[in-house]
Amino acid sequence: MELSAGIKASLAGRYASALFDLASEAGPKDGGVTAVESDLEKLDAALGESAELRALIRNPEVSRGQLSEVMSGMARYLGLSSLTANFLGVLAENRRVKDLPAMIRAFSAIAAAQRGEVNAEVASAHELSAAQLAELEQKLRAREGRTVKLKSRVDASLLGGLVVTIGSKRIDTSIRTRLNNLAQAMKSA
């Protein structure tokens, strides 16, 4: 499994790696890698949708007990596997819930590397159609030489074009960047 040293060395990477190892050892009934990955996608979506939840997990005034209750309730509400629920409990006890978004990204990168995939995120000014996403995925697969798992999001501030992020590489063809570059060139002239 090829992973960057940054993922392995980071706090989030160490937690994600430990969770991945536990998920690999567990059977599908107990929350294998696929189940945990699905659970983490649900958690990521919940964090993305709720500013209150993001604020809560970062609030240092919330006690460990309160965090444990919130994580336990969220695990039940989202229908998470026992392994993921236990992991959230450990994070609450260790006051590491604030690092959950980074752990989710690290786990996703570890799981993708294990499958020989690479994760990519595409930001566009308007929602891309399924055909456009399929064409982009095909072009990225040809460029990277392996399967690409594509996640898309809309960022209206781009005005047009795309920003594709693959690991630490970024391909920015947005109109916003082109206008900023033009403005800088005009200041220099």
Side-chain angles (χ1 to χ4, degrees), residues 50-181:
S50 175
E52 294 86 6
L53 181 57
R54 288 190 306 272
L56 175 81
I57 68 172
R58 288 183 176 86
N59 188 341
E61 294 178 10
V62 177
S63 72
R64 291 174 191 215
Q66 291 169 322
L67 272 176
S68 290
E69 287 180 34
V70 169
M71 293 297 107
S72 177
M74 192 164 45
R76 281 191 307 275
Y77 177 76
L78 294 174
L80 305 181
S81 68
S82 60
L83 180 59
T84 306
N86 291 341
F87 178 72
L88 291 176
V90 169
L91 294 183
E93 280 300 310
N94 293 338
R95 300 203 60 78
R96 298 291 186 200
V97 177
K98 68 182 183 302
D99 299 313
L100 184 58
M103 291 174 198
I104 291 170
R105 287 189 302 274
F107 187 93
S108 180
I110 293 167
Q114 181 70 23
R115 290 188 302 268
E117 296 176 347
V118 63
N119 288 325
E121 181 179 290
V122 60
S124 59
H126 306 285
E127 191 157 345
L128 298 175
S129 70
Q132 289 170 319
L133 286 171
E135 182 180 347
L136 179 59
E137 189 174 333
Q138 182 181 9
K139 289 181 180 181
L140 291 173
R141 187 179 325 120
R143 176 188 168 128
E144 293 297 314
R146 53 188 167 167
T147 304
V148 175
K149 185 175 179 185
L150 198 58
K151 183 178 179 181
S152 67
R153 67 180 174 86
V154 175
D155 181 355
S157 70
L158 295 177
L159 303 174
L162 301 172
V163 177
V164 179
T165 307
I166 305 171
S168 62
K169 295 180 274 185
R170 178 171 276 197
I171 305 164
D172 190 342
T173 63
S174 68
I175 292 175
R176 176 184 65 192
T177 299
R178 290 178 187 181
L179 289 174
N180 288 341
N181 290 343

